[in-house]
Amino acid sequence: QVHLVDSGGGSVQAGGSLRLSCQASEYSQNFMGWFRQTGGNERKGVAAIDSAGRTSYASSVKGRFTISKDDANNTLFLQMDSLKPEDTATYYCAADFYSVEYGLPRFWGQGTQVTVSS
């Protein structure tokens, strides 16, 4: 069982930046990363990283978001730059999934709200 605690959300104007953090009890196998959800829609993958540091991004955030990890502290980070109003969502840290596009994580954080105003 992997326990995830995500934090760092907030409100920012378009063009601004935020950094999300995810404290993990341990690293999972396969990918770890973030998904996001708006309203009652399905959660969609945003960014992922594996134990070797290989990364994967949704096309909508590529070039603006950067995922990284601190192995010493079992912590993931999502640096979000050039934020747009359409990035507004609840962001969930996730663990043990195969793909940003089609992944179904086994473990989830509690979620943190990101709001981008125009």
Side-chain angles (χ1 to χ4, degrees):
Q1 187 82 6
V2 178
H3 184 59
L4 304 169
V5 178
D6 37 24
S7 62
S11 297
V12 66
Q13 289 191 323
S17 298
L18 284 173
R19 189 172 85 152
L20 305 184
S21 300
C22 176
Q23 179 66 56
S25 59
E26 61 185 282
Y27 280 163
S28 73
Q29 57 186 351
N30 304 311
F31 279 109
M32 299 182 69
W34 270 270
F35 284 60
R36 65 187 181 186
Q37 183 178 33
T38 57
N41 298 318
E42 181 183 359
R43 293 180 188 182
K44 295 184 177 180
V46 175
I49 189 167
D50 70 5
S51 59
R54 289 181 290 252
T55 59
S56 178
Y57 297 93
S59 57
S60 59
V61 306
K62 199 171 293 185
R64 299 187 298 120
F65 290 12
T66 304
I67 190 170
S68 61
K69 61 188 180 80
D70 176 358
D71 291 339
N73 294 295
N74 289 349
T75 305
L76 302 181
F77 302 101
L78 184 67
Q79 178 66 38
M80 305 185 294
D81 298 319
S82 302
L83 282 161
K84 304 175 181 180
E86 51 263 44
D87 294 318
T88 295
T90 301
Y91 285 70
Y92 294 89
C93 185
D96 196 0
F97 58 96
Y98 291 100
S99 165
V100 166
E101 293 82 11
Y102 305 109
L104 185 61
R106 289 183 61 202
F107 306 104
W108 295 97
Q110 82 281 7
T112 185
Q113 178 66 35
V114 171
T115 302
V116 184
S117 58
S118 58

